[in-house]
Amino acid sequence: MNNISSEQSSFYRAVQDMGLFLFIWVGQLVAATGSAITGFSMNVWVYEYTESAIQFALISVFATLPFVLLAPVVGIVTDRWNRRWIMVISDLCATLGILVLGLLVLYSHLEPWHVYVFNTLEATCAAFQTTALFASISLLVSKENWGRANGLMSFLTGMARVLGPLLGAVVLDWIHVQGVLFLQMGCLAIGILPLLVVTFPNLKIEDKTTESSYIADMLFGLKYLKAYPGLVGIMLISSFTFFQMGSINVITTPLVITVASHDILGRILSCFGAGTIIGSLAIAFWGSPERYMKAIYSCMLVNGMLLVFAGWSSSLVVFTISITLFTMIRPVLYTFCQTILQNKVDLNIQGRVFSLKSALDAIAVPAGFVIVGPLAEKVFEPMMMSDSLWANRIGTFIGMGVGRGMGLLLILLGGVTLLVTLLASWYPRLRLLETELPDAVDVEDWRIEPALKESTTIDNASLAN
């Protein structure tokens, strides 16, 4: 009983400490869900209007490019300007884009290129908004609850992705495209309101980069990461998890459709979404482990094995259970990577680091599409359908026929994951990151109001040399 009451007391203290963050988070959850509904509706509209898979694919391209191309600018702006107002302005600009798009629909002037422009605008706003929010977690939440806050951010993303298609299909038939757009305007308004009524703790740091040019700031961020290769390793691990998800996504639909119905595919994808939500909630309640790197290696090891299991058997049940467990572990792994960066990166440079990380994460998903998709269609599926020596040898273990080439690809992806885990655990800068690199700041000192310390652990002179 004492242990239970102690855990409850710890949970209530965490909620109290995270009150300001939770207030903002709820608004952003509503806004993200509205954006996901709109994204689904616009995807459907473009495909029905053009009946072109290429133009349909362009939607994802225009929604991804701003995260990659604007990463240096986003990071510098986040570190130089007030992060709360960056989020407010980003949401307002997205609302303006929705309004214009809604008027085009209302007067029957909407064209596919309008959707591409809108996606670019919304992705640009999202790049600034998400970077500013992640960089603000260190100011809004005590250090011991950073893991919970990052877990809730993963939950936000997962829930929006699950609810977007489910609600979008219903809402699109009910109120049509123009209604969906004005619904998102309401969702964005709910997201903006908490930002207008709260005040973020100030971040006042004496840093030479605040008086330098944007190019110098950009180079400073790169020099910072170059000085700490362990942090680069963490960013690459995070990006690799997105590559895995892109690879799984491009394999899942053709793999399932070849042996089952569209209804079964929908149920399987729902299981994957539920896994993401469960994993995110688990880390939000659990908090942080004592040793992040050991937990990261453990997650990577288990996920590699799950990918091997998913590809080894031709059973859809085994595939679904394995990938669902994978999607449960992935947000936990991502959260640990994010929390380590918050622990180790100085507060006044987190914007630049997180924007570069967002760029790597954003490009990893389409990289999975581009690399794995053609390999599955042109190489592995034909190989496992043939009567070649290699197909016969491999088929002895995993079977031959439709879908077995994609199964072999999953096995290879699991093998690569296990190899990456081995190399990451061998690399000293990663393995010893938590002990070699001290925490950037004593976060509690930064949250003292109204005055905050005007010092930093960044050694600008050494990085500039």
Side-chain angles (χ1 to χ4, degrees), residues 1 44 61 63 68 71 84 92 119 123 125 150 172 200 208-209 226 257 313 326 339-340 347 379 383 394 398 435:
M1 287 294 289
V44 171
V61 173
V68 179
R84 179 171 72 97
L92 287 174
N119 276 359
C125 295
N150 290 323
L172 187 60
F200 282 22
K208 294 179 182 180
T209 61
K226 183 179 178 182
I257 289 299
S313 173
F326 177 94
T339 306
I340 283 184
L347 295 180
V379 179
M383 182 181 74
I394 299 173
I398 67 171
T435 54

Side-chain angles (χ1 to χ4, degrees), residues 165-210:
L166 292 177
L167 296 179
V170 176
V171 173
L172 187 60
D173 291 335
W174 181 32
I175 59 178
H176 308 296
V177 172
Q178 59 267 35
V180 169
L181 294 173
F182 285 106
L183 173 65
Q184 188 183 347
M185 287 183 61
C187 293
L188 284 171
I190 294 174
I192 293 173
L193 283 176
L195 297 171
L196 294 176
V197 300
V198 302
T199 301
F200 282 22
N202 293 317
L203 178 61
K204 185 178 180 182
I205 301 178
E206 183 181 351
D207 183 1
K208 294 179 182 180
T209 61
T210 57

